Amino acid sequence: MPLSARVTTATEGATRATVVVPVTFDGGEAAVAAAVPEVVGGHSLPRIFSAAWCAQQGLKETPGSSTVVRSFAGLNVALVTLGATLNDPEAYRLAGAAAVRCAGEGDVAFLLATGGLDDPTALAQALVEGALLSSYRFKSTSPDASFDVVPLGDPLPSVGVHDQVSEGVRRGVIVARGANWAKRLVDTPAGDLSPKRLANAARDRVEGDPFVTVDIWTKSRIVDERLGALLGVSQGSHQPPRLIWATYDPDPSTSLPHVALVGKGVTFDSGGLSLKTGEGMMTMKTDMTGSVEVVAALSIASRLGLRVKVTAIAPLAENLPGGSAIKPGDILTARNGTTIEVLNTDAEGRLLLADGLSLAAEINPDAIIDVATLTGAQRVALGDQIGAYFASTEELAAYVDAASATSGEPFWRLPFHDGYEAHVESDVADVKNIGKPLLAGALIAALILRRFTDGRPWVHLDIAGPSRADVDRGYTTKGGTAFGVRTLVALLNAVAEDAIPD
């Protein structure tokens, strides 16, 4: 069962197997907030731990650093570092993850001193996100466990502050569980997750969400809708394509801001006839990450009750080298009529997105955001912890930067360069699906995608590198990371809040 989270009292929290006391550092010394009881589980807690004691115990200033004072008879007390400030959300995510590690598979209570917190809701949300995200395991055999947040004041937190913490915990649970849902699908073997099964899983996720409608397009509908690029990618596989179309609209009678999310959904990418190496295929079950991320973001927006309309479009296909597979040199016609010369069948994600973006542009949203594990060039440029993005307007770029800072998922803006349009000129079609070898691969892909946005405000998120992790790190777990989900949610939340009249 997944880890649960809730707000509880100090008395009940003291019954948990592990109680976590956060500390802040100043000059090498660790300080405990005055609101924390001086005795916890039989352990006397000084207000200051000396630099020498911290060094001996391995407790460092780095957020998420921890040490455990263990007990044979009673509860264990863990000290977890928040860094030098009480108001860094990312530090609380790392502290939440550290608290879960200290507790093992047992229950844990986190003593959250609320004095001096600028935004208790955001910090409590971050704390719970870190705890629940770090607790995810694909092979989950853990018993039921609870992450209890204990708001502390002097002597008690006000009703308002308690309510803010409770709201933060509620939001953190919704966001983290949505991201973990996406992670589980990303980690599912491709043999168990065909386009049909992925579409059904998405429908199961959102069908009961408030104000959400969902439609799954089968191959016949895809043919009728003229999604020639999606059909071309899928034709080498016995598994037929699908397309997910979901809409969240909490108030159809009102003109809410409308954001369309488009996600790449290649359930397995062999490269097609432009075959990948064996090693290159080992992680290609994760090439559908974008599709589940846009569904997760829409579902989270619904469960949070955000005042924004969201449409999620996810074209799904397998890219295999079957007897009917598309061949290098073939020409596909996308939904918007653009013809594409396919010179490399392993550059298939942009083909799916061509149809998805064309559909999104037709519904005239205020903004389009696509998410894709698109290019190895992104990973080369930024590694496996930073995503790349391209934005067609400065306003959208500002939203992405702010959302990235809020979520703790780092994104770096890369530029468009119109001079590279010549790299994708085709003698036989409107555009080629690749540019010059080893030159600006992520940028070239973005330029190709731009042709299908019809000039709408648009952001392209390339998450090829950070979409999976080779090792556990902080609150990031090995395997699929769902990197980008929380940034999308933070962006949607900001759009909704900005639309509220003063």
Side-chain angles (χ1 to χ4, degrees), residues 235-493:
Q235 68 189 41
S237 171
H238 291 302
Q239 299 289 346
R242 291 290 188 269
L243 184 134
I244 303 166
W245 187 300
T247 300
Y248 163 62
D249 190 355
D251 191 352
S253 65
T254 303
S255 182
L256 295 175
H258 183 193
V259 179
L261 305 177
V262 181
K264 170 189 171 183
V266 179
T267 57
F268 186 78
D269 182 18
S270 71
L273 291 178
S274 302
L275 197 66
K276 294 179 182 290
T277 64
E279 183 178 1
M281 277 188 244
M282 287 182 181
T283 59
M284 284 301 104
K285 66 180 183 180
T286 68
D287 212 20
M288 36 59 75
T289 298
S291 65
V292 293
E293 290 201 356
V294 299
V295 173
L298 177 144
S299 177
I300 293 167
S302 168
R303 296 182 188 195
L304 291 176
L306 301 187
R307 295 281 297 170
V308 59
K309 180 179 178 180
V310 184
T311 299
I313 300 170
L316 312 176
E318 278 190 338
N319 185 26
L320 295 180
S324 300
I326 188 173
K327 304 169 183 65
D330 284 354
I331 297 174
L332 303 177
T333 303
R335 163 78 178 193
N336 72 349
T338 298
T339 55
I340 309 168
E341 183 184 9
V342 180
L343 295 179
N344 186 329
T345 64
D346 194 24
E348 84 298 329
R350 61 203 68 184
L351 302 177
L352 268 65
L353 292 176
D355 280 334
L357 289 169
S358 297
L359 288 168
E362 290 175 14
I363 60 177
N364 194 27
D366 296 296
I368 301 171
I369 304 173
D370 78 72
V371 190
T373 50
L374 203 64
T375 67
Q378 181 277 325
R379 194 174 193 274
V380 170
L382 297 175
D384 61 359
Q385 297 183 36
I386 304 171
Y389 83 92
F390 297 81
S392 68
T393 70
E394 295 304 312
E395 181 183 17
L396 274 177
Y399 270 110
V400 175
D401 288 340
S404 172
T406 297
S407 70
E409 296 175 329
F411 277 91
W412 189 263
R413 187 180 185 184
L414 295 181
F416 290 110
H417 180 62
D418 292 340
Y420 290 159
E421 287 280 7
H423 292 199
V424 294
E425 291 179 358
S426 170
D427 295 331
V428 294
D430 295 322
V431 65
K432 298 187 296 187
N433 79 323
I434 57 171
K436 295 181 179 181
L438 303 178
L439 289 180
L443 197 163
I444 292 297
L447 289 174
I448 292 171
L449 295 180
R450 188 171 66 174
R451 295 172 178 243
F452 301 92
T453 62
D454 195 29
R456 308 288 181 193
W458 163 65
V459 169
H460 163 54
L461 304 181
D462 191 338
I463 58 168
S467 66
R468 63 173 291 107
D470 295 330
V471 296
D472 289 346
R473 182 183 65 252
Y475 55 85
T476 299
T477 50
K478 183 178 180 180
T481 63
F483 181 96
V485 167
R486 291 181 297 111
T487 296
L488 290 175
V489 172
L491 188 150
L492 293 172
N493 185 66

Side-chain angles (χ1 to χ4, degrees), residues 206-258:
V206 303
E207 263 190 330
D209 287 345
F211 308 110
V212 172
T213 59
V214 60
D215 191 16
I216 305 300
W217 294 7
T218 62
K219 183 176 179 179
S220 60
R221 174 75 181 272
I222 290 168
V223 171
D224 291 343
E225 296 286 351
R226 310 184 315 281
L227 307 188
L230 171 58
L231 289 165
V233 172
S234 70
Q235 68 189 41
S237 171
H238 291 302
Q239 299 289 346
R242 291 290 188 269
L243 184 134
I244 303 166
W245 187 300
T247 300
Y248 163 62
D249 190 355
D251 191 352
S253 65
T254 303
S255 182
L256 295 175
H258 183 193

Side-chain angles (χ1 to χ4, degrees), residues 6-11 13 35-37 109-115 117 120 124 127 148-167 169:
R6 61 175 186 164
V7 174
T8 191
T9 65
T11 299
V36 175
F110 192 100
L111 304 185
L112 179 63
T114 58
L117 302 189
L127 176 67
D148 290 356
V149 179
V150 180
L152 299 176
D154 192 13
L156 293 173
S158 68
V159 173
V161 169
H162 189 279
D163 288 348
Q164 289 177 342
V165 172
S166 297
E167 174 62 10
V169 170

